[in-house]
């Protein structure tokens, strides 16, 4: 009976851990710092590359996702570029990996090296679910000198494409240890904001 209670408690703990994992974003973070020890976070302005200016709505979404993370790191958004202490460049990418359709080739599937869509071995053993790889990056420069002060990025992968809340959590993970570089790479878990 004691073993049964222990097993039930273990299963319950695993279920709760799994539920908690679904409400957080876990990212691999790498940071590189040349931030002066005596310098406090100040005001910032977003800097856009020409390619980012050409896709303004997408960059607006990205900047909205990063604002809270910058505020948590101690920064305030400047009213104009001339009054900012630092320029912040943001980047993001998302890549969808679709399962390789090797089962469509009759040679591979008939001889057992692949997985047939319909065939001798019954239903497929591998799901046809795409996988998504995401990455966000933050680069901070001194506005007056142009010197790079801090660079950080966060990446993860999952079975969903993500949304603004996912990218906001990734930016928060990327800036979690600001201004210290900490250990590279490191795993950072950020709870998803309730919507």
């Amino acid at each position: 009976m004691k073993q049964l209670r222990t097993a039930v408690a273990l299963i319950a703990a695993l279920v709760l851990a799994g539920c908690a994992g679904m409400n957080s974003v876990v990212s691999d973070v790498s940071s590189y710092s040349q931030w002066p020890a005596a310098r406090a976070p100040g005001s910032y302005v977003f800097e856009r590359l020409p390619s980012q200016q050409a896709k303004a709505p997408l960059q607006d979404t990205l900047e909205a996702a990063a604002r809270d993370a910058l505020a948590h790191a101690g920064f305030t958004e400047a009213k104009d570029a001339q009054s900012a202490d630092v320029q912040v460049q943001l980047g993001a990418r998302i890549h969808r990996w679709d399962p390789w359709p090797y089962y469509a080739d009759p040679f591979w599937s008939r001889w057992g090296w692949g997985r047939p869509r319909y065939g001798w071995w019954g239903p497929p053993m591998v799901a046809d679910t795409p996988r998504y790889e995401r990455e966000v990056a933050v680069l901070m420069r001194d506005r007056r000198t142009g010197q790079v002060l801090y660079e950080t990025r966060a990446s993860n992968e999952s079975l969903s494409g993500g949304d603004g809340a996912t990218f906001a959590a990734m930016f928060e993970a990327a800036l979690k240890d600001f201004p210290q570089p900490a250990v590279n790479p490191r795993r950072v878990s950020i709870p998803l904001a309730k919507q």
Side-chain angles (χ1 to χ4, degrees), residues 33-95:
S33 181
Q34 295 180 345
W35 194 270
R39 184 172 182 165
S43 60
Y44 72 91
V45 65
F46 288 117
E47 179 184 17
R48 294 185 180 186
L49 299 172
S51 59
Q52 294 171 328
Q53 292 171 18
K55 298 177 183 175
L58 180 62
Q59 199 65 20
D60 289 341
T61 302
L62 203 58
E63 291 170 5
R67 276 191 177 91
D68 281 346
L70 286 162
H72 287 140
F75 288 93
T76 56
E77 192 165 5
K79 294 181 182 182
D80 57 58
Q82 297 306 315
S83 62
D85 297 316
V86 296
Q87 294 174 311
V88 176
Q89 259 184 6
L90 302 176
R93 70 171 182 82
I94 185 166
H95 184 80

Side-chain angles (χ1 to χ4, degrees), residues 142-175:
D142 182 277
R143 189 191 62 79
R144 290 170 191 83
T145 66
Q147 177 190 359
V148 173
L149 299 174
Y150 196 76
E151 175 189 2
T152 183
R153 58 188 64 239
S155 63
N156 65 32
E157 61 180 68
S158 73
L159 299 178
S160 69
D163 55 12
T166 303
F167 282 102
M170 291 177 69
F171 279 119
E172 189 171 338
L175 290 167

Side-chain angles (χ1 to χ4, degrees), residues 106-123:
F107 175 78
W108 292 106
S109 61
R110 290 204 185 261
W111 298 105
W113 291 297
R115 172 179 68 78
R117 180 167 278 199
Y118 313 102
W120 307 332
W121 298 292

